[in-house]
Amino acid sequence: MKDNVDNIKKKGWLDIEIDPMLDLLAEIEKLKKEKNAIVLAHYYQEADIQDVADYIGDSLGLARKAQETDADMIVFAGVHFMAETAKILNPTKKVVLPDLNAGCSLSDSCPPSLFKKFKQQHPDHLVISYINCSAGIKALSDIICTSSNAQKIVEALPIGQKIIFAPDKNLGGFINKQTGRNMVLWNGACMVHEMFSLEKITKLKVRHPNAKLISHPECEEPVLAISDFIGSTTQLLEFVKNDACQEFIVATETGILHQMIKDAPNKTFIPAPPNNACACNDCPHMKLNTLEKLYLCMKYEMPELLMDEELRLAAKKPIDRMLQMSKELGIR
Ligand code: 13P
Ligand code: SF4
């Protein structure tokens, strides 16, 4: 065991072989009970991971679940900033994730040292940051938001309030348009949601005249402008379940299609095409997690997410403010 742990620390999971006859889904269920662990997964995870998770959700739902759980170990199948948020909210729990390298291009587009200078240039502004950012950025923020509560949080602030919105310029631009505000935007974006091709989507809409285009607000403005519905992953899922339409073009990461097909099996879902021939609407960070790595991280209880306490407390304040505002504003 000790040899294994040292090896994993040095090389990751590369050298660990898993018996191909092992029923990983059953083993993961066993480990959950043995270790009093909860598996939280984002909708962009591969289908097997979603199926074995105790809870699947968008960033707001996952943060709430991580805060309220009494499990001893939180196994976070998502990306680093999500696991970090779980640790910030529930520090006495052990938080592990299948692959510590599962980052986020949007989070990476906003380094704290540069953001600090940007903030200094706008001294009288309140800072609202999208949850897709590092703990360092959260610590420099006044309120955190997610794609499901961003608009309502901005609307709840006084009209004249000057605001910096970081790091996603697309979500920030969308909120500016919806609310008539003029928030100063950090120039960051998500590599997956920027890839959708307006031209190919337009052609697809011509071929499927009855399909509704549904998009995540991280998409660029021209795609949002022709969308029938815009929302967080959970909101997109709710929309396809409840709307009378039978066919949807889905402009977000493809992992969400698994739940859409499960929840609305008689409807048709067409992934919006990216602007080249690759599978660019798969998030390469989210997809670093695999069922094998999930099993190994539960078995060996690593890699573990650890945080500096001072940073954790500073990053917690704006998240607490978001959770409190979401509660007051009745956001589910
Ligand atoms: P939500 O699931 O909160 O909509 O976020 C989408 C996303 O890009 C997460 O990385
Ligand atoms: Fe980050 Fe985009 Fe991947 Fe979400 S989909 S984790 S925002 S790179």
Side-chain angles (χ1 to χ4, degrees):
M1 172 68 188
K2 169 96 176 55
D3 283 356
N4 263 344
V5 172
D6 288 345
N7 224 6
I8 296 162
K9 273 188 187 150
K10 269 189 243 138
K11 301 183 185 170
W13 299 121
L14 281 179
D15 279 359
I16 308 289
E17 279 181 23
I18 300 177
D19 177 354
M21 299 306 285
L22 210 58
D23 177 349
L24 287 182
L25 295 177
E27 289 302 314
I28 289 171
E29 289 303 337
K30 243 193 265 171
L31 286 167
K32 279 189 205 171
K33 288 197 186 87
E34 256 173 59
K35 300 185 181 231
N36 187 25
I38 185 171
V39 177
L40 305 182
H42 188 266
Y43 289 121
Y44 296 164
Q45 293 297 287
E46 63 177 44
D48 279 344
I49 294 182
Q50 293 190 39
D51 289 344
V52 83
D54 298 292
Y55 177 83
I56 324 164
D58 66 2
S59 306
L60 181 62
L62 286 163
R64 283 173 165 157
K65 207 74 193 169
Q67 185 182 40
E68 75 192 26
T69 185
D70 55 10
D72 294 318
M73 182 163 80
I74 299 172
V75 184
F76 214 112
V79 289
H80 190 274
F81 76 80
M82 294 179 170
E84 198 170 57
T85 304
K87 188 70 185 176
I88 291 168
L89 289 170
N90 211 337
T92 60
K93 309 297 178 191
K94 185 174 230 178
V95 177
V96 293
L97 58 167
D99 194 318
L100 204 51
N101 291 318
C104 167
S105 66
L106 179 52
S107 174
D108 291 348
S109 69
C110 193
S113 55
L114 294 183
F115 187 67
K116 205 171 173 179
K117 287 189 189 139
F118 182 74
K119 204 180 137 173
Q120 280 160 0
Q121 288 160 12
H122 305 90
D124 50 352
H125 287 56
L126 188 92
V127 178
I128 303 184
S129 294
Y130 187 35
I131 198 163
N132 297 32
C133 64
S134 64
I137 294 296
K138 289 185 174 82
L140 292 167
S141 306
D142 298 296
I143 313 174
I144 296 302
C145 70
T146 73
S147 48
S148 49
N149 59 21
Q151 185 174 333
K152 288 202 171 135
I153 284 181
V154 171
E155 279 169 349
L157 299 170
I159 293 284
Q161 176 67 59
K162 291 180 181 169
I163 302 170
I164 292 176
F165 189 90
D168 189 2
K169 63 175 179 195
N170 293 317
L171 175 63
F174 171 66
I175 304 294
N176 269 346
K177 201 169 161 198
Q178 294 298 105
T179 59
R181 305 282 175 127
N182 188 21
M183 300 187 294
V184 177
L185 309 179
W186 177 264
N187 187 19
C190 157
M191 62 190 285
V192 180
H193 290 88
E194 282 218 311
M195 277 290 176
F196 294 115
S197 158
L198 183 66
E199 193 190 331
K200 287 185 190 171
I201 292 176
T202 308
K203 282 184 183 156
L204 204 56
K205 273 168 80 86
V206 173
R207 285 212 309 278
H208 298 267
N210 296 321
K212 281 190 177 171
L213 172 64
I214 58 168
S215 307
H216 194 280
E218 287 173 24
C219 292
E220 289 180 313
E221 198 278 329
V223 170
L224 297 179
I226 58 161
S227 297
D228 298 291
F229 180 76
I230 297 161
S232 76
T233 50
T234 297
Q235 290 165 345
L236 294 177
L237 196 56
E238 284 301 307
F239 183 78
V240 301
K241 275 197 280 183
N242 299 324
D243 194 78
C245 184
Q246 291 299 305
E247 207 178 4
F248 300 91
I249 299 168
V250 183
T252 191
E253 214 270 358
T254 50
I256 188 78
L257 296 179
H258 179 60
Q259 287 306 314
M260 288 182 172
I261 293 164
K262 269 177 121 173
D263 288 353
N266 299 321
K267 297 188 178 182
T268 304
F269 302 103
I270 308 162
N275 57 17
N276 53 27
C278 73
C280 298
N281 38 358
D282 272 354
C283 172
H285 309 290
M286 287 278 182
K287 296 303 198 280
L288 274 179
N289 296 329
T290 61
L291 196 65
E292 286 74 15
K293 289 183 196 171
L294 179 68
Y295 161 72
L296 290 168
C297 97
M298 291 181 76
K299 181 170 172 178
Y300 295 106
E301 300 188 19
M302 59 187 298
E304 182 181 359
L305 201 138
L306 299 168
M307 275 192 84
D308 170 74
E309 184 60 6
E310 205 179 320
L311 177 62
R312 186 188 75 77
L313 289 172
K316 187 171 182 289
K317 266 195 210 161
I319 304 178
D320 283 344
R321 196 157 169 203
M322 166 186 80
L323 293 172
Q324 185 56 34
M325 284 182 84
S326 298
K327 208 166 151 188
E328 286 164 11
L329 295 166
I331 300 163
R332 287 198 300 124

